[in-house]
Amino acid sequence: MIKETLLSAHQVSKHFPVKKGFFQRTVGQVKAVEKVDLEIFKGETLGLVGESGCGKSTLGRTLIRLYEPTEGEITFKGEDFLKLSSNNLRKSRRNIQMIFQDPFASLDPRMTVGQILQQPLDVHDIGTLEQRKKEVQELLTTVGLKASHINRYPHEFSGGQRQRISIARALALKPDLIICDEPVSALDVSIQAQILNLLKDLQEQRGLTYLFISHDLSVIEYFCDRVAVMYLGKIVEIGTRDELFQNPKHPYTQALLQAIPTVGEGKKTMKKSLSGEVPSPLNPPTGCAFHPRCAYKMDRCVTETPKLSAVSAGSLHQKSCFLKET
């Protein structure tokens, strides 16, 4: 079955200049995202996982032009997303929304919930005032809140309820793609399950596509159809959930899975974890970025950069590693 590509990225990079001195001269570049190739298929949930600081959130924001990419190409629904005029970009952004990690920080404390949810409808001039108010009430009930909450402020809600409000805001413009940036990491485990199940239900009801960013592999395994593993600004492995969790091919993916805590015989144990720290994106290693921490390092890994390629002919499971088998 041929899958329809909703968004594709080709060789996308995002560098942040480092400035010093009185005249703020540029003395270096933080390479937060480096030459990423990625496809998001319509109706799927693509998980993006990696250690803190690997560039996951930066990539998500770059794909929807909250950050302008330093280089590369982004296509959304067949259009060149980087060449859209400001007016067309504004129209296109109705189809892409984002749910942020901290719902309290992303909701204006001076606005009521009704004002927050109505704002996107006002900005894009959708419907009459009466229709907008009705839509806001329907959004609240859709995410499991009461229509009577419309006049409350964000501080009057719990963390889980605030995240439901963020989800409702993301749904207001009926988008095709939602970027979920660590949407449950700040919530209690029981509330996490409720929010994840809500997102699953909404996906089935509305045909949504998700890019789900997380560092929690258990959440990724439960929620995602495909998984992309990111390390120091690059995608090092991508495949279906079952391929990644049952037959990981890249040493970094294997190390992440081995580091998951397990429970057995009444004791919580930790398997062998990664050694060392993630190198600085200001001065990344030559060759394969993972080679300073890799147990399978070869001489060529220090000087050559492996490309993301299929594990086997015709397979969508890809890895960026010189080893034929790990």
Side-chain angles (χ1 to χ4, degrees):
M1 180 179 174
I2 299 176
K3 298 180 179 180
E4 180 183 347
T5 299
L6 184 64
L7 183 145
S8 67
H10 177 65
Q11 295 291 285
V12 169
S13 298
K14 178 58 184 175
H15 301 166
F16 295 96
V18 177
K19 298 179 182 293
K20 284 187 177 181
F22 181 78
F23 294 103
Q24 290 293 287
R25 292 191 177 93
T26 299
V27 295
Q29 296 283 336
V30 175
K31 297 179 179 179
V33 176
E34 185 69 4
K35 298 188 182 301
V36 166
D37 290 329
L38 194 66
E39 282 189 311
I40 303 175
F41 301 126
K42 187 174 182 179
E44 77 164 348
T45 299
L46 174 63
L48 186 60
V49 67
E51 293 171 283
S52 297
C54 71
K56 305 186 298 296
S57 295
T58 301
L59 175 58
R61 296 179 186 211
T62 302
L63 290 177
I64 61 175
R65 290 184 66 180
L66 288 182
Y67 295 148
E68 288 295 331
T70 304
E71 61 180 8
E73 301 173 5
I74 300 174
T75 303
F76 179 65
K77 298 181 73 172
E79 287 187 300
D80 189 332
F81 199 54
L82 300 182
K83 292 184 179 180
L84 294 176
S85 64
S86 57
N87 188 45
N88 288 334
L89 176 61
R90 181 183 176 188
K91 292 178 181 178
S92 186
R93 275 189 170 146
R94 288 180 54 174
N95 297 313
I96 308 176
Q97 295 296 309
M98 191 162 188
I99 302 169
F100 296 92
Q101 178 178 359
D102 185 351
F104 193 72
S106 65
L107 300 175
D108 191 332
R110 298 166 298 179
M111 297 173 69
T112 66
V113 169
Q115 292 171 331
I116 289 170
L117 298 185
Q118 188 176 315
Q119 188 178 44
L121 304 175
D122 292 339
V123 169
H124 290 275
D125 196 23
I126 296 174
T128 63
L129 181 60
E130 192 62 35
Q131 289 172 332
R132 293 173 194 172
K133 290 182 177 179
K134 184 179 179 181
E135 179 65 20
V136 168
Q137 292 176 336
E138 291 177 355
L139 285 169
L140 285 170
T141 57
T142 296
V143 299
L145 297 174
K146 297 178 180 179
S148 59
H149 290 163
I150 195 168
N151 292 318
R152 292 188 182 182
Y153 288 87
H155 72 269
E156 299 180 73
F157 295 89
S158 67
Q161 289 174 322
R162 284 196 289 265
Q163 197 60 289
R164 289 176 186 269
I165 295 167
S166 296
I167 293 170
R169 181 177 58 183
L171 295 174
L173 298 176
K174 298 179 172 60
D176 296 306
L177 173 64
I178 297 180
I179 309 292
C180 304
D181 186 8
E182 302 264 15
V184 297
S185 64
L187 306 176
D188 293 339
V189 174
S190 60
I191 305 301
Q192 285 184 16
Q194 294 176 19
I195 297 299
L196 292 174
N197 289 331
L198 172 63
L199 290 171
K200 273 183 174 287
D201 291 342
L202 291 171
Q203 185 174 41
E204 292 176 3
Q205 295 165 10
R206 301 184 175 226
L208 296 170
T209 303
Y210 295 134
L211 174 62
F212 191 88
I213 300 168
S214 179
H215 65 273
D216 190 330
L217 286 164
S218 60
V219 170
I220 290 287
E221 185 176 17
Y222 170 74
F223 191 70
C224 300
D225 303 308
R226 288 193 305 136
V227 184
V229 181
M230 197 167 185
Y231 184 78
L232 206 62
K234 297 181 179 180
I235 302 296
V236 296
E237 186 169 1
I238 185 168
T240 66
R241 173 183 56 204
D242 291 342
E243 287 171 338
L244 261 293
F245 281 88
Q246 296 176 15
N247 190 24
K249 294 296 184 181
H250 195 281
Y252 179 59
T253 309
Q254 294 172 359
L256 285 179
L257 294 175
Q258 289 172 359
I260 299 175
T262 58
V263 178
E265 299 180 358
K267 293 182 179 180
K268 189 173 182 180
T269 60
M270 181 80 76
K271 296 180 182 178
K272 183 180 179 182
S273 60
L274 278 167
S275 60
E277 298 291 333
V278 179
S280 170
L282 182 61
N283 186 28
T286 59
C288 173
F290 187 61
H291 84 257
R293 306 171 73 190
C294 183
Y296 305 99
K297 180 176 68 175
M298 299 179 288
D299 290 342
R300 66 183 301 193
C301 300
V302 181
T303 56
E304 299 179 42
T305 303
K307 294 182 179 180
L308 198 64
S309 57
V311 170
S312 59
S315 173
L316 291 177
H317 188 182
Q318 299 176 299
K319 69 170 183 175
S320 174
C321 184
F322 291 124
L323 287 174
K324 293 183 178 179
E325 193 63 47
T326 55

